[in-house]
Amino acid sequence: MKILVLTLGVSLLPFAAMAAEPDASRFQLERSGDHFVRLDRQTGAMSICQDKDGALVCRMAADERAAYEDELDRLSKRVTALEQNTAQRALPSDAEVDRSISIMERMMKSFMGMVKEFQAEENANPLPQKT
């Protein structure tokens, strides 16, 4: 049994490595003067990249940065509004709870009355046995 598990694990190891690797065709680099423009083909985001000490360092383009910060501001305002709305919402009063319970009790009594009527009709008029 151990051999089967080990064999299966070793045979599936390359598939796990392939799943962990990022898609090589996701990004496209184009040289533009002394820097590169990197296009993310999945999201459409563009970054400006420069070669610094043998490493490619990328940063967002100015218009994307502004859109990114606008979205962050919008989401921050939304979170603040939701937090304030949640803080203002109070628990229902005892009178409101009692009213809700009485409505549910009336509904359940009415429903149980209907069930009893159906049972009485069924007992009074049984279906004929066909077997």
Side-chain angles (χ1 to χ4, degrees):
M1 183 68 179
K2 287 182 182 179
I3 294 173
L4 177 64
V5 171
L6 287 174
T7 305
L8 184 62
V10 169
S11 64
L12 293 178
L13 191 60
F15 294 113
M18 285 178 16
E21 290 179 9
D23 185 10
S25 64
R26 178 176 177 177
F27 297 100
Q28 177 181 349
L29 282 175
E30 294 290 330
R31 182 174 278 285
S32 177
D34 61 340
H35 60 274
F36 295 92
V37 176
R38 180 180 73 175
L39 170 67
D40 185 343
R41 293 182 186 197
Q42 285 183 353
T43 64
M46 294 178 64
S47 303
I48 299 173
C49 304
Q50 292 181 333
D51 184 19
K52 292 190 179 181
D53 300 326
L56 199 59
V57 178
C58 299
R59 59 181 170 78
M60 285 185 198
D63 56 342
E64 287 183 11
R65 183 70 182 181
Y68 176 75
E69 288 179 1
D70 288 344
E71 182 70 6
L72 281 178
D73 290 341
R74 185 186 70 79
L75 290 173
S76 294
K77 289 175 185 174
R78 183 175 175 195
V79 167
T80 303
L82 288 171
E83 287 174 345
Q84 289 174 350
N85 189 20
T86 303
Q88 291 173 355
R89 190 176 307 158
L91 294 175
S93 66
D94 289 341
E96 291 172 327
V97 171
D98 291 341
R99 182 174 177 269
S100 298
I101 289 174
S102 69
I103 291 170
M104 287 188 286
E105 284 176 348
R106 281 187 278 143
M107 182 191 72
M108 288 302 294
K109 285 179 183 177
S110 174
F111 177 74
M112 293 308 289
M114 290 171 47
V115 169
K116 287 180 183 177
E117 286 178 21
F118 286 130
Q119 286 176 341
E121 284 180 21
E122 189 175 287
N123 291 337
N125 302 322
L127 295 173
Q129 295 292 326
K130 295 186 177 184
T131 57

